Amino acid sequence: MSVETVIDSASKHITILIEGAFGFNLVQEFRRCYNDRQEFRFTIDLRKVDYIDSAGLGMLLNMHNYLGQGDGTIRITNTLPQVRKILTISRFDKKFAIE
């Protein structure tokens, strides 16, 4: 379980790559990826996430609220079917661009 950040300063874009279960154990690590970076656009790559729990969903909502970006501005990409199902049931497709 880990969080990796890829920063492209030229285009003001950050990609956050998460591996393993996306849950409470990643709170601090995930928050560090976007803290004090409101001017950036974000993509959250979940290709290596096989499970997301309510804490993971809460972290995504906290990120959305903290950044103050409009709905659909933060992209969530490469979701496995089971993770996409959880995001859809939780209506995260209304707050995030899920690709």
Side-chain angles (χ1 to χ4, degrees):
M1 297 167 280
S2 67
V3 179
E4 180 183 337
T5 307
V6 178
I7 301 172
D8 182 352
S9 297
S11 67
K12 295 274 191 192
H13 184 263
I14 295 175
T15 301
I16 301 171
L17 301 127
I18 301 167
E19 184 175 345
F22 188 17
F24 184 76
N25 57 320
L26 299 177
V27 169
Q28 296 303 322
E29 211 175 336
F30 185 73
R31 187 175 295 142
R32 274 192 287 272
C33 295
Y34 66 84
N35 204 21
D36 295 326
R37 294 183 171 146
Q38 285 90 343
E39 70 279 2
F40 284 83
R41 292 177 300 110
F42 288 86
T43 298
I44 302 164
D45 189 330
L46 300 181
R47 79 180 70 223
K48 294 183 179 178
V49 171
D50 51 6
Y51 178 75
I52 185 169
D53 64 13
S54 60
L57 296 174
M59 286 187 277
L60 290 172
L61 286 176
N62 285 339
M63 175 189 190
H64 182 275
N65 293 336
Y66 175 84
L67 294 172
Q69 298 182 358
D71 289 351
T73 305
I74 300 169
R75 295 174 43 224
I76 299 175
T77 61
N78 302 315
T79 56
L80 295 175
Q82 65 269 27
V83 173
R84 181 181 284 268
K85 184 176 180 180
I86 292 169
L87 292 171
T88 303
I89 289 171
S90 303
R91 301 180 53 100
F92 273 61
D93 54 336
K94 305 296 181 203
K95 291 259 181 218
F96 300 90
I98 300 174
E99 302 169 4

